[in-house]
Amino acid sequence: MALDVVDLRAFYASPLGHVARQAVGRVVIRLWPHCQRQRLLGLGFATPYLPLIGGEAERVIAFMPAAQGVLNWPSQGLSASALVEPTLLPLPTASVDRVLIVHALEETESPEDLLEEASRVLNPGGRLIVIVPNRRGLWARMDTTPFGHGRPFSRSQLENLMRRAMFSPENWAEALYVPPLRRRLFLRSAGAWEKFGAGLALPFAGVHVVDATKQFYRQAPLRATRRSFAFRPVLLPQPTPSRRLTRDRGASPPPG
């Protein structure tokens, strides 16, 4: 069952949601520190993170999947959010510079189609950040948060998926080392958990955060070909019958 936009909004309004936004947001800012004069697209439920990096962007829009629902965003001013089919985005080809995907890839039935559609709307050389649950992390094993729903990914699975969609992963990061518990002790020590886990590169982080670049061309696979070197003559010489043989065949048999 797909996540509901109301549940997502309620999670990010909770103390645990604030912790998740801060931990993941620090990684996103580190990967994309400058977005001046960039056209930025958020796909999924990216509105908690778009204000962190879109302050100086030329344009920021938020597309939310039809199965999830849509919220008016931002709360003040003109709305920049829309309800869409994530594999059929209502944008021209090569119309945006950067795409941030959150709470979308793990929920869709066809992750490769979603990434290919993101590649279509990106400029050549455009950049993409994907945030997905880590298969080995504790957050993916508990359905009390949005990161415990849908399909989690290992690093190798995510890398293969992105390369098939013409993306080249450039930077890998992890976040949410703190256990997904609402106890005050864990919430207050969340910063220490993140520093400790990232410093030791522990494998049980809650989410993968991948920064990738759109490739300019798709590499064509090389296939081995077999060639036959047997030469076959086109015209074969025909033997010519001799005159003697012709006379013998034409002579009448001797009398008995």
Side-chain angles (χ1 to χ4, degrees):
M1 181 176 180
L3 289 171
D4 188 85
V5 70
V6 177
D7 296 332
L8 287 165
R9 180 178 60 180
F11 168 74
Y12 281 102
S14 68
L16 185 59
H18 284 290
V19 168
R21 179 178 180 270
Q22 292 176 357
V24 178
R26 279 193 293 266
V27 178
V28 174
I29 294 174
R30 176 166 56 85
L31 295 176
W32 286 358
H34 306 292
C35 292
Q36 296 93 337
R37 298 184 296 276
Q38 300 286 305
R39 290 165 292 181
L40 177 61
L41 168 64
L43 183 57
F45 193 77
T47 53
Y49 306 99
L50 289 177
L52 303 177
I53 56 177
E56 299 180 353
E58 175 186 327
R59 182 174 299 175
V60 183
I61 53 179
F63 283 170
M64 302 183 187
Q68 172 184 289
V70 64
L71 290 176
N72 183 42
W73 181 85
S75 58
Q76 298 179 355
L78 298 176
S79 178
S81 62
L83 190 69
V84 301
E85 171 57 43
T87 58
L88 295 171
L89 300 179
L91 289 175
T93 300
S95 58
V96 297
D97 302 302
R98 302 194 181 193
V99 177
L100 174 65
I101 299 179
V102 192
H103 300 302
L105 194 66
E106 67 271 23
E107 293 289 336
T108 184
E109 295 181 357
S110 180
E112 190 168 352
D113 290 343
L114 188 147
L115 289 178
E116 288 182 353
E117 183 67 0
S119 176
R120 182 188 67 82
V121 302
L122 267 174
N123 285 326
R127 297 178 66 180
L128 168 82
I129 281 185
V130 175
I131 301 172
V132 295
N134 178 12
R135 180 177 294 275
R136 302 177 66 181
L138 186 60
W139 287 70
R141 303 174 186 272
M142 301 179 65
D143 59 1
T144 54
T145 76
F147 297 103
H149 294 260
R151 180 192 304 105
F153 292 88
S154 66
R155 176 164 176 166
S156 59
Q157 290 173 335
L158 187 57
E159 183 176 7
N160 293 334
L161 178 64
M162 298 185 73
R163 291 192 183 279
R164 289 197 303 268
M166 294 182 61
F167 284 103
S168 177
E170 302 290 342
N171 300 295
W172 292 82
E174 286 79 28
L176 296 183
Y177 291 94
V178 59
L181 303 176
R182 303 179 186 272
R183 299 179 181 178
R184 293 183 180 180
L185 176 62
F186 292 104
L187 297 179
R188 291 178 179 178
S189 60
W193 279 90
E194 297 302 312
K195 292 181 180 179
F196 180 79
L200 297 179
L202 298 179
F204 54 81
V207 295
H208 294 293
V209 185
V210 187
D211 175 26
T213 303
K214 177 182 175 180
Q215 296 178 354
F216 288 93
Y217 57 89
R218 184 186 295 272
Q219 296 180 353
L222 297 178
R223 296 181 179 179
T225 59
R226 299 181 61 185
R227 296 182 179 180
S228 177
F229 292 95
F231 295 98
R232 296 180 179 178
V234 179
L235 298 177
L236 296 176
Q238 297 295 330
T240 303
S242 62
R243 294 180 180 180
R244 183 177 179 181
L245 181 60
T246 303
R247 291 196 303 265
D248 292 343
R249 287 182 178 178
S252 58

